[in-house]
């Protein structure tokens, strides 16, 4: 049918317009060549435009046609065009203007253009078009074999050029990916190289090998980093646990002087302030206070001064220091359940089993106190839970990291000042002040030692939380328990019942089941990802 339409195009162009569209689509569907493409015909004369469109359609290509340079620009901007058959001589804007405009469009400048002219002998017009980037020349009185040859040649060049551009883009993406991997430990999966590695080209094979090797290196680096964090975390854990483990024996030591626990807690925090605040003033680390910061330090001060100091001194007067240190293990459970609820850390059955064993061990200790010493000791054992509660809240405050800009020493000093603003009015109401003159050498030594231990221990503990996470960091309670028991035995002459030893063994097993948190993966920044993905446009412009 197309041969008939093509033959009569010169005398019935209006009637053939609709037929061209229908027959062109049917040809494209029924006989699509291997080098099929979208061809745009630009000619102001309808007879020639329809004739060329019919010829293109007969060859099996998808064809569109427009009558002016402006329409051609609009069509090229809004539709996929693989090749343009362009008439040179048109009213208003000629074909040269289309070529010049195309050269200024980065996304369109590689579309091949074959110029069409009725003046076959006008070599100057053809030369000018070629200089402006036209691929070839076609006379308007063409024959189908010539048209077919021109189109196939142009599309072949475009396909080859597209492959070159694509490979250049892929190599630039691989280069940028290697630069990012060299700068930091990114997960190669985030670099989005799967689309490149899935092909069969040499670049795709290189991308596949590159991705596999990068993934192996990344996994190895992650394992080594986790092992290093575990070793560092264990060292900090043992040191912080030992320092805090001295608190209960020191509290027991201070209790023998029978001084008011509230008044003694004031002196402990005065020692901490003297150790930290002068240094903070000299180094200009005192922050500007706002309502949030005031509340932040008041909460920390309440946890350390009231729950951590006053309650511990009161409990130490009633039950053995070794029992108090075992109860401190509940800090781990409190922190664990909070982090699970708030999803601050990932959990697993191993961690859950470790925390559960710790809970079982502490329950045995409390029940042992009730059966051996009566309800009074059991009551004070329950009151002692306020101490690990305060420690747990401080753990979480540190883990949230909202005030990491303030040094840990300064933070502890400001928290002690905030605690004093709470405890001093309480001491005044209860007439619980302990004058300096009432402090014996032993009591003064105990207060000073406690303050120094809190200061050094907090410096280590903050680093531990930031390295290994709040759940692992809260395990200082385990080490604190073991250290406290050992010191209570050696210095205070205390002993434990057999069932308490069993409880301690259960608690130690639970400690071994809880691991440090894994470091989060390095996330590819939006800026780096944008640079990586924008290589396509950049390479097109460069080409």
């Amino acid at each position: 049918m197309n041969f008939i339409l093509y033959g009569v195009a010169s005398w019935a162009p209006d009637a053939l317009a609709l037929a061209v569209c229908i027959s062109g689509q049917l040809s494209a569907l029924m006989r699509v060549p291997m080098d099929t493409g979208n061809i745009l015909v630009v000619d102001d004369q309808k007879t020639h435009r329809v004739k060329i469109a019919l010829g293109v359609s007969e060859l099996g290509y998808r064809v569109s046609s427009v009558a002016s340079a402006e329409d051609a620009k609009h069509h090229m901007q809004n539709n996929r065009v693989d090749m343009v058959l362009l008439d040179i001589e048109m009213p208003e804007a000629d074909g040269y203007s289309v070529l010049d405009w195309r050269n200024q469009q980065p996304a369109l400048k590689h579309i091949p253009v074959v110029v069409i002219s009725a003046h076959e002998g006008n070599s100057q017009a053809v030369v000018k078009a070629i200089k402006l980037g036209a691929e070839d020349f076609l006379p308007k009185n063409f024959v189908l074999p010539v048209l077919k040859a021109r189109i196939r040649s142009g599309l072949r060049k475009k396909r080859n050029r597209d492959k070159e551009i694509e490979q250049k883009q892929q190599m630039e993406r691989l280069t940028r990916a290697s630069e990012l991997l060299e700068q930091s430990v990114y997960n190669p999966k985030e670099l989005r190289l799967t689309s490149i590695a899935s092909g069969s080209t040499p670049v795709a094979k290189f991308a596949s090998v590159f991705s596999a090797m990068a993934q192996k290196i990344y996994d190895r680096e992650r394992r080594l980093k986790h092992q290093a964090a575990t070793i560092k975390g264990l060292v900090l854990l043992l040191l912080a646990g030992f320092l805090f483990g001295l608190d209960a024996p020191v509290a027991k030591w201070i209790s023998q002087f029978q001084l008011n626990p509230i008044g003694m807690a004031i002196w402990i925090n005065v020692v901490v302030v003297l150790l930290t605040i002068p240094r903070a003033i000299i180094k200009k680390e005192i922050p500007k206070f706002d309502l949030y910061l005031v509340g932040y330090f008041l909460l920390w001060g309440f946890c350390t001064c009231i729950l951590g100091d006053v309650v511990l001194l009161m409990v130490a007067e009633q039950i053995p220091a070794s029992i108090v240190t075992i109860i401190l293990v509940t800090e781990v459970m409190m922190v664990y359940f909070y982090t699970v609820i708030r999803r601050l850390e990932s959990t697993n059955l191993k961690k859950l089993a470790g925390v559960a064993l710790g809970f079982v061990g502490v329950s045995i200790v409390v029940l042992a106190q009730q059966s051996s010493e009566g309800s009074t000791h059991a009551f004070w054992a329950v009151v002692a839970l306020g101490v690990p509660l305060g420690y747990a809240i401080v753990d979480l405050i540190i883990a949230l990291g909202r005030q990491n800009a303030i040094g840990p020493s300064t933070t502890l000093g400001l928290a002690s000042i905030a605690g004093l603003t709470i405890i001093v009015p309480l001491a005044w109401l209860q007439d619980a002040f302990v004058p300096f003159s009432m402090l014996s050498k032993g009591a003064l030594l105990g207060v000073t030692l406690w303050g120094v231990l809190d200061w050094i221990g907090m410096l280590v503990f903050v680093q531990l939380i930031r390295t290994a996470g709040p759940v692992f960091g809260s395990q200082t309670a385990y080490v604190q328990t073991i250290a406290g028991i050992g010191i209570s035995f050696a210095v205070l002459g205390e002993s434990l019942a057999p069932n308490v030893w069993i409880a301690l063994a259960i608690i130690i097993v639970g400690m071994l089941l809880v691991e440090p948190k894994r470091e989060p993966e390095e996330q590819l920044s939006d800026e780096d990802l944008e640079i990586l993905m924008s290589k396509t446009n950049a390479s097109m412009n460069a080409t």
Side-chain angles (χ1 to χ4, degrees):
M1 183 177 70
N2 277 2
F3 283 113
I4 299 174
L5 294 172
Y6 180 73
V8 300
S10 59
W11 56 269
D14 293 328
L16 291 174
L18 179 60
V20 168
C21 296
I22 297 175
S23 62
Q25 296 301 323
L26 288 174
S27 297
L29 292 173
M30 295 172 62
R31 298 181 294 102
V32 180
M34 292 182 63
D35 54 356
T36 186
N38 297 293
I39 312 299
L40 175 63
V41 177
V42 185
D43 198 315
D44 64 303
Q45 296 183 14
K46 183 174 291 186
T47 301
H48 291 155
R49 186 169 67 250
V50 173
K51 176 184 174 182
I52 298 170
L54 280 172
V56 174
S57 176
E58 171 61 26
L59 296 174
Y61 298 102
R62 289 180 290 270
V63 61
S64 302
S65 59
V66 295
S68 67
E70 291 302 318
D71 290 342
K73 296 175 184 178
H74 183 269
H75 185 90
M76 293 172 68
Q77 282 183 318
N78 296 281
N79 300 275
R80 177 186 168 182
V81 177
D82 296 311
M83 188 173 184
V84 179
L85 302 178
L86 176 65
D87 183 21
I88 291 295
E89 299 174 357
M90 292 186 293
E92 298 180 2
D94 56 19
Y96 301 127
S97 66
V98 176
L99 286 168
D100 187 58
W101 171 83
R102 184 209 61 163
N103 294 336
Q104 300 174 22
Q105 310 301 313
L108 306 176
K109 63 187 297 184
H110 301 294
I111 297 176
V113 177
V114 174
V115 295
I116 303 172
S117 175
H119 303 287
E120 188 173 353
N122 189 353
S123 59
Q124 292 184 351
V126 175
V127 170
K128 182 178 179 181
I130 297 297
K131 287 183 177 180
L132 287 172
E135 296 284 343
D136 212 331
F137 166 77
L138 183 70
K140 287 194 175 181
N141 58 345
F142 62 86
V143 292
L144 282 179
V146 175
L147 176 63
K148 181 178 181 180
R150 296 290 192 273
I151 293 176
R152 283 193 171 183
S153 175
L155 291 179
R156 189 178 299 113
K157 291 180 180 178
K158 183 178 186 296
R159 283 199 308 273
N160 293 336
R161 187 181 292 111
D162 289 345
K163 287 181 180 178
E164 291 176 2
I165 293 174
E166 182 182 8
Q167 290 182 358
K168 187 178 188 322
Q169 295 167 3
Q170 292 173 347
M171 288 304 300
E172 289 187 351
R173 284 188 60 184
L174 287 171
T175 302
R176 178 57 183 166
S178 65
E179 292 173 355
L180 291 174
L181 290 175
E182 187 178 3
Q183 294 170 7
S184 186
V185 185
Y186 290 113
N187 189 339
K189 294 178 181 178
E190 282 197 19
L191 300 177
R192 303 182 184 182
L193 301 178
T194 306
S195 59
I196 301 177
S198 60
S200 57
T201 63
V203 175
K205 292 179 180 179
F206 173 76
S208 178
V209 173
F210 174 81
S211 298
M213 293 181 62
Q215 190 66 48
K216 289 181 181 178
I217 295 173
Y218 172 77
D219 293 338
R220 184 186 65 188
E221 291 291 330
R222 291 277 296 169
R223 286 194 300 270
L224 293 175
K225 194 173 183 179
H226 182 65
Q227 291 171 2
T230 301
I231 295 172
K232 182 179 179 180
L234 285 173
V235 172
L236 293 173
L237 180 72
L238 293 173
L239 181 57
F242 174 76
L243 293 171
F244 289 142
L246 294 171
D247 282 351
V250 170
K252 192 69 176 178
W253 168 266
I254 293 175
S255 67
Q256 68 179 333
F257 299 106
Q258 298 183 345
L259 298 172
N260 192 290
I262 297 177
M264 297 303 291
I266 291 176
W267 283 113
I268 292 171
N269 283 276
V270 168
V271 171
V272 174
V273 170
L274 292 176
L275 289 171
T276 56
I277 296 303
R279 173 181 175 277
I281 294 174
I282 293 173
K283 291 195 171 186
K284 299 180 180 180
E285 292 182 353
I286 304 298
K288 293 182 179 180
F289 287 89
D290 53 24
L291 189 60
Y292 169 80
L293 206 57
V294 170
Y296 174 87
F297 284 114
L298 283 175
L299 176 60
W300 190 320
F302 175 81
C303 292
T304 54
C305 295
I306 303 298
L307 298 180
D309 296 339
V310 175
V311 174
L312 183 55
L313 287 167
M314 293 172 61
V315 170
E317 293 179 351
Q318 307 297 327
I319 57 179
S322 55
I323 300 299
V324 175
T325 56
I326 293 176
I327 293 173
L328 294 180
V329 172
T330 54
E331 173 190 352
V332 181
M333 288 165 269
M334 296 174 185
V335 172
Y336 177 78
F337 288 123
Y338 182 83
T339 55
V340 169
I341 293 172
R342 294 295 302 273
R343 298 181 180 179
L344 297 179
E345 283 191 28
S346 60
T347 185
N348 52 50
L349 291 177
K350 191 176 179 182
K351 275 187 178 181
L352 182 61
V355 174
L357 286 176
F359 178 77
V360 170
V362 173
S363 299
I364 293 174
V365 171
V366 174
L367 293 175
Q369 288 299 299
Q370 184 174 5
S371 60
S372 62
E373 303 293 342
S375 58
T376 302
H377 275 212
F379 168 78
W380 283 108
V382 173
V383 173
L385 291 172
V387 180
L389 175 61
Y391 291 164
I393 295 174
V394 172
D395 290 357
L396 296 170
I397 291 174
I398 297 172
L400 292 175
R402 295 184 179 178
Q403 300 302 326
N404 282 349
I406 306 175
S409 178
T410 303
T411 300
L412 179 62
L414 295 174
S416 295
I417 292 175
L420 287 172
T421 62
I422 300 173
I423 201 172
V424 168
L426 184 63
W428 181 75
L429 290 174
Q430 298 191 3
D431 194 20
F433 288 107
V434 177
F436 184 79
S437 58
M438 291 182 60
L439 294 176
S440 64
K441 291 183 179 179
L444 183 61
L445 176 63
V447 167
T448 304
L449 181 60
W450 192 328
V452 172
L453 291 174
D454 274 359
W455 175 49
I456 300 175
M458 185 57 64
L459 296 178
V460 176
F461 187 67
V462 169
Q463 186 62 34
L464 172 62
I465 293 293
R466 293 175 181 175
T467 300
V471 174
F472 186 82
S474 64
Q475 287 189 109
T476 52
Y478 291 130
V479 182
Q480 186 176 351
T481 295
I482 297 171
I485 290 174
I487 295 169
S488 298
F489 286 0
V491 178
L492 303 178
E494 296 181 354
S495 61
L496 294 177
N499 54 352
V500 177
W501 280 111
I502 295 173
L504 183 60
I506 294 174
I507 290 171
I508 292 174
V509 172
M511 178 185 69
L512 297 176
L513 292 176
V514 182
E515 296 179 338
K517 70 172 183 180
R518 290 190 175 273
E519 288 294 321
E521 294 184 354
E522 291 278 358
Q523 298 293 321
L524 195 63
S525 67
D526 292 338
E527 181 180 357
D528 285 334
L529 184 59
E530 183 179 353
I531 293 174
L532 183 63
M533 300 306 292
S534 65
K535 286 297 181 181
T536 300
N537 293 335
S539 61
M540 288 180 65
N541 292 335
T543 305

